[in-house]
Amino acid sequence: MALKTGASVLRLNTLRNAAVRYVERVLQLLSTHTRPEVAQNTKYAEFPGAKAPYVTEMKFLNESSYDPIPIYRVLDNSGSVLESREEPSIDKDELVNMYKTMVQLTQMDKILYESQRQGRISFYMTNYGEEGIHVGSAAALSPRDLVFAQYREVGVFLYRGVTVTELINQCYGNHEDPGKGRQMPVHYGNKHFNLVTLSSPLATQMPQAVGAAYALKRQPNNDRCVICYFGDGAASEGDAFAAFNFAATLDCPVILLCRNNGYAISTPTNEQYRGDGIASRGPALGIRTVRVDGTDALAVYNAVKQSREYAIANNKPVLIEAMSYRVGHHSTSDDSTAYRSIEEIQKWTTDESPLHKFKMYLEAKGIWDAEAEKTCLKESRDTVVRTMQEAEKKKRPHWKEMLEDVYYDMPPRIQKQMKQMEEHLKKYPDKYPLDQHQD
Ligand SMILES: Cc1ncc(C[n+]2csc(CCOP(=O)(O)OP(=O)(O)O)c2C)c(N)n1
């Protein structure tokens, strides 16, 4: 066989690339929408509710009328960059910090989950599988941007600078918990770091976030945006629709970031919706939208960074659907093997692990190795164990705290209840562990 010259190899490659592009284009044209044909020079109707062309062929649209919205990714499963132009320029220290945050989060989840099983805290929720969404988005934001989280975004809190001590104090409800033990564990909040305290009822944060974004927009020279995290399950709430529509019609600088992890407790997404995920709702409501691989921290980073710039420059919302998989049980109140197989879960802990692919990426860059991994794991684990032991020893808030702070001036009926409680405790002091509470 004759040897090919450099020039002929180049020509062959060019021809092959052109052929591939042609086939891709044909496939695209064949598969794209079956929207009704609109003849050229068609007059557009001018209804107040829609500016659209008239047609004479009636065609109903459904979810299969459109291609599925593609999933943007930067890294493949082995942590290699797929297109070099898409690799974000993130400082090496920040990349390492992103990874260390993911490791810290995983260690905290492992140990606190076990501590609930041992009866030391009442409830816990893990974040396994979604760590990339947390650090990718947090790194792309300004610390001044306001965060409205759901509950499975603790990595954002850690990345912002909330300490493991503060988080564990909240889970233990001791007197150093800023919420004074009144909330369930994992309902964090931190005013200093612009992290709005979480609410249990799903989607509560969504209209609130949009309202906050509207308030930001009204400030002169605004350079901040709001980010609102929510799950695919929360997106089924009426409040989610209200939030989307207000964000669009009031032109609010808000990033609506859906963590689509496949399940809302025991309700899988195939029972949750019929359309193309959550992303398809964005264009329907006039919201700029992108779908990303949520197991790829760099894809999330790029999407949030661009969305932030767009939202602030244009006073417009952006919807991001980050595809992921909830690897852990929904919470300590759930056994997910009742509604999904162990094999299904395992697939997502290996090939698609956000930590694994990010670690491989750092290793290939020469900024992480086995030694760094060992030290990081040990330090993260030690921090959690030490902090947990300290948190357990701290006293609980004074019992009166449970009736305070709701009203600026305590109404007479609550004053009455407080007095009754005081008398009751005096009468039965041995029935309550008052020594464990602050004096
Ligand atoms: C209004 C309301 N309904 C039901 C619940 C009970 N609940 C708590 S979490 C949850 C599932 C939410 O799923 P999703 O939003 O997808 O978030 P994920 O837990 O998967 O991260 C449900 C139904 C609730 N907290 N609030």
Side-chain angles (χ1 to χ4, degrees), residues 276-337:
D276 182 18
I278 309 303
S280 61
R281 299 174 200 179
L285 291 164
I287 302 177
R288 188 180 232 234
T289 298
V290 68
R291 177 180 268 168
V292 299
D293 178 356
T295 69
D296 173 358
L298 296 186
V300 177
Y301 176 89
N302 281 349
V304 173
K305 199 165 172 55
Q306 273 199 32
S307 302
R308 176 178 194 277
E309 282 160 14
Y310 173 84
I312 296 172
N314 301 285
N315 275 328
K316 292 270 186 206
V318 183
L319 172 64
I320 301 176
E321 184 179 26
M323 308 311 295
S324 63
Y325 186 86
R326 169 166 58 71
V327 171
H329 302 300
H330 168 77
S331 66
T332 45
S333 313
D334 173 48
D335 171 10
S336 66
T337 56

Side-chain angles (χ1 to χ4, degrees), residues 173-183 395-407 410 414 417-419 421-422 425 434 436-439:
N174 62 35
H175 71 95
E176 287 183 19
D177 162 23
K180 302 178 184 172
R182 298 169 179 133
Q183 260 284 22
K395 287 207 165 187
R396 292 181 184 161
H398 193 284
W399 67 264
K400 281 190 177 170
E401 298 275 15
M402 73 177 158
L403 297 166
E404 286 169 345
D405 288 348
V406 177
Y407 298 96
M410 191 182 278
I414 305 221
Q417 284 177 30
M418 176 112 74
K419 205 162 168 352
M421 184 73 179
E422 204 155 16
L425 290 174
L434 285 176
Q436 290 174 22
H437 290 254
Q438 280 203 309
D439 297 327

Side-chain angles (χ1 to χ4, degrees), residues 20-208:
V20 169
R21 275 202 303 277
Y22 175 74
V23 172
E24 280 176 349
R25 181 73 190 127
V26 171
L27 285 175
Q28 194 190 359
L29 285 174
L30 286 176
S31 63
T32 13
H33 358 112
T34 55
R35 285 191 211 212
E37 283 294 313
V38 179
Q40 273 193 341
N41 306 325
T42 303
K43 199 173 173 299
Y44 272 58
E46 292 280 335
F47 291 105
K51 310 274 174 284
Y54 288 114
V55 289
T56 50
E57 182 199 355
M58 186 172 67
K59 218 168 205 177
F60 289 94
L61 301 176
N62 60 27
E63 72 284 1
S64 54
S65 304
Y66 303 92
D67 285 341
I69 296 169
I71 302 169
Y72 167 75
R73 68 194 316 211
V74 175
L75 298 176
D76 67 12
N77 284 357
S78 58
S80 303
V81 174
L82 291 158
E83 283 283 354
S84 55
R85 62 161 197 275
E86 293 300 312
E87 183 179 5
S89 59
I90 307 178
D91 180 57
K92 283 180 184 163
D93 289 344
E94 191 164 359
L95 285 173
V96 168
N97 186 25
M98 286 167 80
Y99 183 66
K100 282 186 169 175
T101 305
M102 290 201 251
V103 174
Q104 182 66 81
L105 173 61
T106 316
Q107 291 307 310
M108 195 174 93
D109 278 354
K110 272 191 188 146
I111 299 168
L112 287 187
Y113 187 86
E114 280 311 311
S115 91
Q116 192 280 340
R117 288 294 183 242
Q118 293 160 2
R120 296 156 96 155
I121 55 176
S122 58
F123 177 81
Y124 195 70
M125 296 176 115
T126 60
N127 301 271
Y128 306 132
E130 300 183 49
E131 300 89 342
I133 302 177
H134 302 187
V135 299
S137 59
L141 294 167
S142 150
R144 295 179 62 247
D145 295 334
L146 197 53
V147 174
F148 283 79
Q150 182 158 310
Y151 45 67
R152 212 182 295 284
E153 296 93 0
V154 192
V156 178
F157 284 61
L158 282 171
Y159 197 86
R160 277 268 163 118
V162 177
T163 61
V164 171
T165 308
E166 287 168 74
L167 298 175
I168 293 186
N169 282 340
Q170 196 283 329
C171 289
Y172 275 78
N174 62 35
H175 71 95
E176 287 183 19
D177 162 23
K180 302 178 184 172
R182 298 169 179 133
Q183 260 284 22
M184 286 168 78
V186 314
H187 285 65
Y188 312 112
N190 190 302
K191 201 171 171 180
H192 174 71
F193 289 114
N194 295 309
L195 301 157
V196 177
T197 303
L198 317 181
S199 304
S200 282
L202 290 173
T204 300
Q205 79 281 16
M206 298 183 71
Q208 292 175 349

